[in-house]
Amino acid sequence: MPISIAARKGLSAVVAEAAEQRIVLTRAGHAVAVVDSAEGLDETARVVRSAAREVLDSYANLAVTEGGAVSLADLCARLGLDEAVIRDRAVQLRARTRS
């Protein structure tokens, strides 16, 4: 939905519409923002968490069935992740659990 149309409709109308379906706001034909319901965001987060668990479980199963462990570097390379970011996040999470 172009931002100009959303502005004419007003915030209340856009929010009411977002309760039914996610709205992508555009400017010059390019997506610039998304308006979604709280339930929609919760569902999206649940799906992403579930998919992440499935990917990690699949790689763990692959490591077991191939008879060897997969290094973090190999796993990050296969998933297109930055190993340094993953290691930094692990340090942050460990520090939180120790507090």
Side-chain angles (χ1 to χ4, degrees):
M1 172 186 297
I3 291 174
S4 58
I5 292 175
R8 277 194 297 263
K9 286 184 172 189
L11 182 60
S12 294
V14 172
V15 168
E17 195 172 323
E20 300 300 319
Q21 68 179 15
R22 179 177 292 160
I23 298 172
V24 177
L25 298 176
T26 60
R27 178 180 291 135
H30 299 286
V32 293
V34 174
V35 182
D36 201 352
S37 67
E39 293 83 13
L41 290 173
D42 288 344
E43 176 61 15
T44 298
R46 187 195 64 72
V47 168
V48 168
R49 282 191 303 271
S50 176
R53 279 192 298 272
E54 288 181 34
V55 168
L56 291 175
D57 286 348
S58 294
Y59 273 100
N61 289 334
L62 181 63
V64 169
T65 59
E66 288 185 359
V70 175
S71 71
L72 179 61
D74 288 342
L75 181 62
C76 288
R78 288 181 185 180
L79 295 175
L81 301 172
D82 184 338
E83 182 182 357
V85 171
I86 301 300
R87 289 187 183 281
D88 288 345
R89 183 69 178 137
V91 168
Q92 291 170 359
L93 291 172
R94 266 191 238 117
R96 262 194 226 158
T97 59
R98 291 180 185 159
S99 312

